[in-house]
Amino acid sequence: MKYKAVNTLLSSPAVLGLVNAKVERYGTVTKLAVDEGGYHAEVRLLGRDMPLNITVGVIEFSDDGGRVTLRDLRGSEAWLQHLLEDMVDGREFELPPAAASALRPFRSMLP
């Protein structure tokens, strides 16, 4: 129950559409969720039958909410884990203005 509002937001077509617009060249994010263990994504890569799972342990927002840093990433396969460590973990990413604005009310609910 603790994460119900955030999970409702994460599974909304608007959020999945925003995320999928960023990754459509590679595949589709089919599920987003959060619990005590972190933020979870199920991803289906183009040309691959089985989904991959990614967990983000920590999401840090900049003071203005326009940038995000992802930390403590875990991938369901070794090559994915290495990719996350090399390309994502600890790097800061700019959020589109609409996403930053939409997430602002939910930042206080995030673990």
Side-chain angles (χ1 to χ4, degrees):
M1 287 304 262
K2 181 177 180 180
Y3 301 109
K4 185 176 181 179
V6 176
N7 280 319
T8 298
L9 173 70
L10 291 175
S11 62
S12 72
V15 171
L16 285 172
L18 178 69
V19 171
N20 280 318
K22 289 289 190 188
V23 300
E24 67 186 345
R25 177 177 165 86
Y26 308 102
T28 305
V29 175
T30 55
K31 184 177 178 183
L32 292 170
V34 64
D35 62 25
E36 292 80 13
Y39 304 86
H40 309 283
E42 181 181 272
V43 181
R44 289 196 178 269
L45 296 180
L46 295 175
R48 187 175 171 102
D49 294 331
M50 298 299 294
L52 298 169
N53 294 296
I54 298 170
T55 299
V56 179
V58 177
I59 298 178
E60 298 170 351
F61 288 91
S62 62
D63 290 339
D64 67 359
R67 292 173 311 285
V68 65
T69 302
L70 308 177
R71 299 189 189 283
D72 251 354
L73 286 96
R74 296 180 301 281
S76 59
E77 295 191 16
W79 67 266
L80 178 58
Q81 179 66 37
H82 296 159
L83 178 72
L84 293 169
E85 290 169 357
D86 293 346
M87 304 300 291
V88 181
D89 201 348
R91 289 194 176 183
E92 188 174 72
F93 298 92
E94 190 163 340
L95 292 172
S101 198
L103 287 172
R104 196 163 284 117
F106 293 94
R107 285 177 52 195
S108 63
M109 293 186 219
L110 300 176

Short mmCIF file of all heavy atoms in Angstrom, two decimals, residues 10-11 17 23 40 49-50 53 55 58 66 74 82 85 89 106:
data_model
loop_
_atom_site.label_atom_id
_atom_site.label_comp_id
_atom_site.label_asym_id
_atom_site.label_seq_id
_atom_site.Cartn_x
_atom_site.Cartn_y
_atom_site.Cartn_z
N LEU A 10 3.51 5.30 -12.21
CA LEU A 10 4.51 4.63 -13.05
C LEU A 10 3.88 3.75 -14.12
O LEU A 10 4.44 3.58 -15.20
CB LEU A 10 5.46 3.80 -12.20
CG LEU A 10 6.42 4.58 -11.31
CD1 LEU A 10 7.21 3.63 -10.42
CD2 LEU A 10 7.35 5.45 -12.13
N SER A 11 2.72 3.18 -13.83
CA SER A 11 2.08 2.28 -14.81
C SER A 11 1.12 3.02 -15.73
O SER A 11 0.49 2.39 -16.59
CB SER A 11 1.36 1.14 -14.09
OG SER A 11 0.33 1.65 -13.25
N GLY A 17 4.60 5.95 -21.91
CA GLY A 17 4.80 6.57 -23.21
C GLY A 17 6.02 7.46 -23.24
O GLY A 17 6.80 7.45 -24.20
N VAL A 23 13.37 5.13 -25.46
CA VAL A 23 14.07 3.86 -25.70
C VAL A 23 13.54 3.09 -26.91
O VAL A 23 14.00 1.97 -27.17
CB VAL A 23 14.00 2.94 -24.44
CG1 VAL A 23 14.64 3.61 -23.25
CG2 VAL A 23 12.57 2.52 -24.14
N HIS A 40 11.78 -0.74 -10.37
CA HIS A 40 11.95 -1.89 -11.26
C HIS A 40 11.38 -1.61 -12.63
O HIS A 40 10.31 -1.01 -12.75
CB HIS A 40 11.25 -3.12 -10.66
CG HIS A 40 11.63 -3.37 -9.24
ND1 HIS A 40 12.83 -3.94 -8.88
CD2 HIS A 40 10.99 -3.08 -8.08
CE1 HIS A 40 12.90 -4.01 -7.57
NE2 HIS A 40 11.80 -3.50 -7.05
N ASP A 49 13.24 -12.39 -27.35
CA ASP A 49 11.97 -12.90 -26.85
C ASP A 49 11.77 -12.69 -25.35
O ASP A 49 10.68 -12.40 -24.90
CB ASP A 49 11.84 -14.40 -27.14
CG ASP A 49 11.74 -14.68 -28.63
OD1 ASP A 49 11.24 -13.81 -29.37
OD2 ASP A 49 12.17 -15.76 -29.06
N MET A 50 12.82 -12.87 -24.58
CA MET A 50 12.70 -12.80 -23.12
C MET A 50 12.93 -11.38 -22.61
O MET A 50 13.84 -10.70 -23.09
CB MET A 50 13.72 -13.74 -22.46
CG MET A 50 13.53 -15.20 -22.80
SD MET A 50 11.93 -15.85 -22.26
CE MET A 50 12.11 -15.73 -20.50
N ASN A 53 15.30 -7.41 -16.83
CA ASN A 53 14.86 -6.66 -15.66
C ASN A 53 15.98 -5.75 -15.19
O ASN A 53 17.14 -6.15 -15.15
CB ASN A 53 14.45 -7.62 -14.54
CG ASN A 53 13.22 -8.41 -14.93
OD1 ASN A 53 12.16 -7.85 -15.13
ND2 ASN A 53 13.38 -9.71 -15.09
N THR A 55 16.81 -2.90 -12.03
CA THR A 55 16.42 -2.30 -10.76
C THR A 55 17.33 -1.11 -10.50
O THR A 55 18.54 -1.20 -10.67
CB THR A 55 16.53 -3.31 -9.60
OG1 THR A 55 15.65 -4.40 -9.86
CG2 THR A 55 16.17 -2.67 -8.27
N VAL A 58 18.52 3.87 -6.19
CA VAL A 58 18.37 5.26 -5.74
C VAL A 58 18.16 6.18 -6.94
O VAL A 58 18.87 6.07 -7.94
CB VAL A 58 19.64 5.72 -4.98
CG1 VAL A 58 19.52 7.18 -4.56
CG2 VAL A 58 19.91 4.84 -3.77
N GLY A 66 14.96 19.34 -12.54
CA GLY A 66 15.13 19.20 -13.97
C GLY A 66 16.12 18.14 -14.41
O GLY A 66 16.23 17.82 -15.58
N ARG A 74 20.97 -2.51 -11.06
CA ARG A 74 21.20 -3.95 -11.20
C ARG A 74 20.47 -4.44 -12.45
O ARG A 74 19.31 -4.09 -12.67
CB ARG A 74 20.70 -4.69 -9.97
CG ARG A 74 21.46 -4.32 -8.71
CD ARG A 74 21.00 -5.04 -7.46
NE ARG A 74 19.61 -4.84 -7.10
CZ ARG A 74 19.11 -3.77 -6.48
NH1 ARG A 74 19.90 -2.76 -6.18
NH2 ARG A 74 17.84 -3.69 -6.16
N HIS A 82 26.94 -4.70 -16.73
CA HIS A 82 28.13 -3.95 -17.15
C HIS A 82 27.75 -2.68 -17.91
O HIS A 82 28.35 -1.62 -17.69
CB HIS A 82 29.04 -4.83 -18.01
CG HIS A 82 29.59 -5.99 -17.26
ND1 HIS A 82 30.06 -7.12 -17.88
CD2 HIS A 82 29.73 -6.23 -15.93
CE1 HIS A 82 30.47 -7.99 -16.99
NE2 HIS A 82 30.28 -7.46 -15.79
N GLU A 85 26.48 -0.11 -15.44
CA GLU A 85 27.60 0.45 -14.67
C GLU A 85 28.39 1.46 -15.50
O GLU A 85 28.78 2.52 -15.01
CB GLU A 85 28.52 -0.66 -14.18
CG GLU A 85 27.91 -1.53 -13.10
CD GLU A 85 28.72 -2.78 -12.81
OE1 GLU A 85 29.75 -3.03 -13.49
OE2 GLU A 85 28.31 -3.54 -11.91
N ASP A 89 24.92 4.38 -14.29
CA ASP A 89 25.08 4.53 -12.85
C ASP A 89 25.91 5.76 -12.48
O ASP A 89 27.04 5.93 -12.93
CB ASP A 89 25.75 3.28 -12.26
CG ASP A 89 25.49 3.11 -10.78
OD1 ASP A 89 25.01 4.06 -10.13
OD2 ASP A 89 25.79 2.03 -10.25
N PHE A 106 5.20 14.17 -6.92
CA PHE A 106 5.43 12.81 -6.45
C PHE A 106 6.82 12.63 -5.81
O PHE A 106 7.09 11.60 -5.22
CB PHE A 106 5.26 11.81 -7.59
CG PHE A 106 3.84 11.73 -8.07
CD1 PHE A 106 3.42 12.50 -9.14
CD2 PHE A 106 2.94 10.92 -7.44
CE1 PHE A 106 2.12 12.46 -9.58
CE2 PHE A 106 1.62 10.86 -7.86
CZ PHE A 106 1.20 11.64 -8.94
#
